[in-house]
């Protein structure tokens, strides 16, 4: 499966979207979706969704909370990944630690060396949402000194900040 996917996506920009369940990934995709959902739930026993945003950009979406067993499959997607978008629920203080651990795991994959990262502090419309600097601190972003990363606030529900965020992702890919 991996080999076929790798070949298929070779000519497109592959953006991998990850985050804990409930971070807002589906809502975000729904908001930005212009293409069609190409593939959902392959038969390997976990949910992965692939979405063709336009002719050149393919999003692969993963829920990564507590799913360590799926890590063996990430590599097929991360191999050609040009940017990682990591979505966090900025209003969910209780799960920040879990998000931090999950992000650390992904970034430790050797395919992620030199891949730019965009952290989206989602649900910024909620009154108790953390600011980007709070989220950044909670995720210990300062420890990624060697990597290229950015953090932006957004509200997938209201559609706020998404356009800017994905323009920045495109820039990060361009500059990489
Ligand atoms: P996931 O795909 O990452 O698992 P979902 O997350 O997109 O399913 O979102 C989980 C819940 O968070 C949904 O609420 C969704 O409406 C809500 N949500 C997503 N983005 C935002 C946001 O920007 N602001 C607010 N206020 N809520 C958001 P339900 O109630 O359907 O579970």
């Amino acid at each position: 499966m991996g080999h076929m996917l790798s070949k298929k996506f070779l000519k497109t920009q592959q953006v991998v979207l990850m985050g804990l369940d409930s971070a807002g990934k589906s809502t975000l995709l729904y908001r930005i979706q212009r293409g069609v959902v190409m593939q959902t739930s392959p038969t390997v026993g976990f949910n992965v969704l692939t979405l063709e945003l336009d002719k050149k950009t393919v999003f692969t979406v993963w829920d990564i909370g507590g799913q360590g067993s799926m890590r063996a499959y990430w590599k097929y997607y991360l191999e050609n990944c040009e940017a990682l978008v990591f979505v966090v629920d900025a209003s969910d203080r209780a799960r920040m630690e879990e998000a931090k651990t999950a992000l650390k795991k992904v970034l430790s994959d050797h395919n992620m060396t030199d891949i730019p990262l965009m952290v989206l502090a989602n649900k910024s419309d909620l009154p108790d949402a953390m600011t980007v600097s709070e989220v950044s601190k909670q995720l210990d972003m300062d420890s990624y000194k060697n990597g290229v990363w950015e953090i932006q606030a957004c509200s997938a529900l209201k559609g706020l900040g998404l356009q800017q965020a994905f323009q920045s992702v495109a820039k990060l890919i361009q500059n990489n």
Side-chain angles (χ1 to χ4, degrees), residues 103-137:
L103 178 61
K104 261 201 168 85
K105 266 190 199 155
V106 181
L107 294 181
S108 69
D109 188 292
H110 76 277
N111 288 302
M112 292 313 294
T113 323
D114 302 329
I115 301 300
L117 163 72
M118 170 62 73
V119 177
L120 291 181
N122 190 35
K123 310 199 187 181
S124 64
D125 57 288
L126 293 174
D128 57 341
M130 286 184 262
T131 62
V132 286
S133 60
E134 281 176 291
V135 173
S136 177
K137 200 170 164 200

Side-chain angles (χ1 to χ4, degrees), residues 143-175:
S143 66
Y144 303 118
K145 283 195 188 69
N146 298 327
V148 174
W149 61 269
E150 250 184 65
I151 181 165
Q152 289 188 21
C154 71
S155 167
L157 193 68
K158 309 261 181 203
L160 296 171
L162 297 180
Q163 217 178 339
Q164 295 92 308
F166 285 99
Q167 273 165 6
S168 301
V169 171
K171 256 191 212 133
L172 286 173
I173 293 175
Q174 243 172 34
N175 295 341

